[in-house]
Amino acid sequence: MRNRIALCCLLFAGVLAASASAQSQAQPGPITAIKAGRLIDPDSGTVSTNQVILVQGEKISAVGPNLAIPTGATVIDLSRLTVLPGLVDAHTHMALTYKEQPENNYYYLTVVMDSTALRAIQAASNGIQLLNAGFTVIRDVGNNGLYADTALRQAIEQGWLPGPTVIPSGIIIGSTGGQLWPTPEMYKQHNIVYPEYLDANSPDEIVRAIRENMLFGARTIKLCIDCKPWGYSVEDIKLAINEAAKGGCKVEGHVQTPEGAQRAIDAGIYIIAHGNALTPEHHRQMGEKGIFLTGTDTPFTRYRGTDAAFKQVVAKLRDAWEKKVPLTFSTDFDYWNDRMKDEKTGEWLSRGDLTIAFIETWKAAGIPPADILRAMTITGYKAADIIKERGPIKQGMYADLIAVAGDPLTDIDALRNVQFVMKNGMVFKKDGAMTAEKFFHPGPVRIPSGRWTR
Ligand SMILES: [Zn+2]
């Protein structure tokens, strides 16, 4: 007992020392002055010209026209560019890349063949590729092995590597089997496709699963509402929302049936994932209640999708926009194939290029650029539940901002060519160049023998 008290004292002293050093880190650092030729406020869809943004340490200390630049400040001249908040992918999967080789695009097999350790390294690479494309925030909602997502968040927050702010869900919670249909051997022995899903079949198990995820670093909770015919009831979902709130988390519901969508709406869920099962009536209710949609609106490209599926996705997105659903930009990007190359140059597209390509769906839906930009920024920050500290370019917020040539308010494709990225007040990309860019790929592009091997 005595030893235990001594150990507690030691631990407590350690915590105190850690918090003291955190305070010293919080001291404002050197000043950077950014000259912004054009500065977009995506919330209002307006532009101000010739602005100066002062950044001290990690945060914005002042914004305005003709601000005096303090002596000794580092000046970054973006006077020929358009500056805007960093972009948000509100539904993606950093530590999952299912492939044609070796798993025939079947993520049961990804789970079996790729360790969490390998997936965590993929996640780190994907995070860097997304940051390079201007995404400074991602919601990473499951299918990340045994918590590669929360490890990625921690690693970026701790400063091990550059990457977006990650809002991870931990393991997806579902009733028996999650999204998969495991065999009796897989299910009963719980050692093959697990930990991809956390089984929670009763109120007690739902509470336990949520607490477990939050214990391991989740910042949002993801529920499979109707992945099985029995699914979760309105009461189950309300219980989950209530429990998640205790740890500061909002709940996203994966829905794939109209009935499941209705239960999620009735329970007052924060976010509904995937637009496929939603009807105009669901959109109307979501617009009225302010329920966010992470529609994961896949474009039809050379390397993915079909024209018929695309037309359906476009029509649903259009209807959701008309019904004023709070729309986020979201991709569900978690796959790779060897057709993912630039048609003209033959070079690999990065995970960032492949992510930003989702604006094609939004353009096809005839959504005005200002509304697309709002979905990609302000609404994304709200859905990620970090709008109080990140997003708007104003005093007191983290300095997460990007710059592009041209005007995304009239030509959304301007976002495809991000020239400058600042995250937490640090410059990650300048004059269009991240020097390590060529090292990163959206999949295992180097297979020396030509055949997959561990
Ligand atoms: Zn997903």
Side-chain angles (χ1 to χ4, degrees), residues 91 93 141 222 274 332:
H91 182 125
H93 305 276
V141 282
K222 168 107 170 273
H274 313 303
D332 222 1

Side-chain angles (χ1 to χ4, degrees), residues 137-159:
V137 177
I138 52 165
R139 292 185 66 259
D140 190 347
V141 282
N143 296 124
N144 290 306
L146 195 58
Y147 296 100
D149 57 337
T150 59
L152 176 66
R153 174 184 67 71
Q154 279 180 282
I156 292 168
E157 284 179 3
Q158 290 180 5

